[in-house]
Amino acid sequence: MVNIVLFGKPGAGKGTQAEFLKEQYNLTHLSTGDIFRFNIKNGTELGLWAKTFIDKGDLVPDEVTIKMLEDAVENAGNTAGFLFDGFPRTIAQAEALDAFLQSKGWSVTATIALEADDEILVQRLLERGKTSGRPDDQDEEKIRNRYQEYNEKTAPLMSFYEQQNKFYPVDGIGSIAEITKRLSAVIDNFVN
Ligand code: AMP
């Protein structure tokens, strides 16, 4: 099992890159943001509840997010590994993920952070908001709140994984293909 965690601030290109990497390495792509949006679209109880946080740019509380991610792993069937996109986003989530994978005899193989300057990303998200239909992409105040959530709750994950020698920062500015190459250079160290 190769379990890769892709993290980076909103707009850094996690989803775009995950689409390429999942094909290249035959990994199951799990995006908690996508799962929440799927639930919102389908009007499930989980979706309606999560939307109250997501629309403000706040993180959804850990307990529910962790349970949702674990269910998605359980339901994935046989796979060569996972590409976690947007999870974990808090230390509690990272600890839960370690414990959950360990219970299956697996572990996080590597975490890769797509790095980019906040101001570039805010502009990217506002641009994306024109077509994505996502309320959390359309309002600069909500976008800035998402960065604050990242800085407060997600940034500490870098040292969490650094301490485990599993942290790889990658320059997230460049063409999509260039960035895929940078990410592949890291993942290639762990696949045969
Ligand atoms: P994303 O598509 O990854 O940017 O996620 C969109 C929104 O979904 C985030 O701003 C959060 O409100 C929520 N979300 C996604 N993943 C998580 C997570 N791991 N923990 C808490 N909230 C999350």
Side-chain angles (χ1 to χ4, degrees):
M1 287 291 279
V2 176
N3 295 309
I4 305 293
V5 171
L6 202 53
F7 70 104
K9 292 180 182 168
K14 298 186 296 291
T16 304
Q17 291 299 330
E19 290 302 317
F20 291 101
L21 297 173
K22 73 173 185 192
E23 295 298 331
Q24 196 171 327
Y25 296 101
N26 213 6
L27 300 174
T28 300
H29 174 207
L30 286 185
S31 155
T32 37
D34 284 351
I35 303 173
F36 283 130
R37 281 185 290 278
F38 178 84
N39 276 279
I40 291 170
K41 207 175 91 194
N42 289 290
T44 68
E45 205 179 317
L46 169 70
L48 292 174
W49 176 78
K51 187 171 160 52
T52 60
F53 300 92
I54 295 172
D55 282 358
K56 286 186 282 189
D58 290 342
L59 291 186
V60 179
D62 282 333
E63 200 183 330
V64 170
T65 307
I66 290 166
K67 170 83 173 56
M68 184 180 83
L69 186 279
E70 292 181 353
D71 286 347
V73 170
E74 298 287 4
N75 292 330
N78 275 345
T79 179
F82 290 95
L83 186 56
F84 297 106
D85 159 7
F87 185 96
R89 261 170 149 109
T90 64
I91 293 283
Q93 292 179 17
E95 287 172 346
L97 181 64
D98 276 353
F100 176 66
L101 293 179
Q102 204 181 2
S103 75
K104 299 187 163 298
W106 304 337
S107 60
V108 169
T109 308
T111 68
I112 316 178
L114 279 171
E115 299 196 317
D117 180 76
D118 281 14
E119 294 312 311
I120 294 177
L121 295 181
V122 170
Q123 293 316 315
R124 253 197 220 173
L125 281 191
L126 285 168
E127 214 29 60
R128 181 170 88 180
K130 291 179 189 166
T131 53
S132 72
R134 287 177 52 172
D136 58 341
D137 280 351
Q138 287 165 357
D139 177 321
E140 187 159 342
E141 209 177 304
K142 289 177 187 169
I143 292 175
R144 298 229 176 248
N145 185 40
R146 287 161 73 194
Y147 288 107
Q148 199 171 328
E149 287 281 76
Y150 184 94
N151 290 331
E152 277 174 24
K153 297 174 182 166
T154 309
L157 293 181
M158 297 187 208
S159 42
F160 178 87
Y161 286 114
E162 237 162 17
Q163 280 162 17
Q164 301 184 24
N165 291 319
K166 289 181 179 175
F167 180 72
Y168 299 85
V170 162
D171 179 3
I173 300 296
S175 71
I176 291 175
E178 273 166 359
I179 298 166
T180 309
K181 244 193 216 164
R182 290 176 202 151
L183 294 167
S184 303
V186 175
I187 301 173
D188 283 342
N189 291 309
F190 304 100
V191 294
N192 312 314

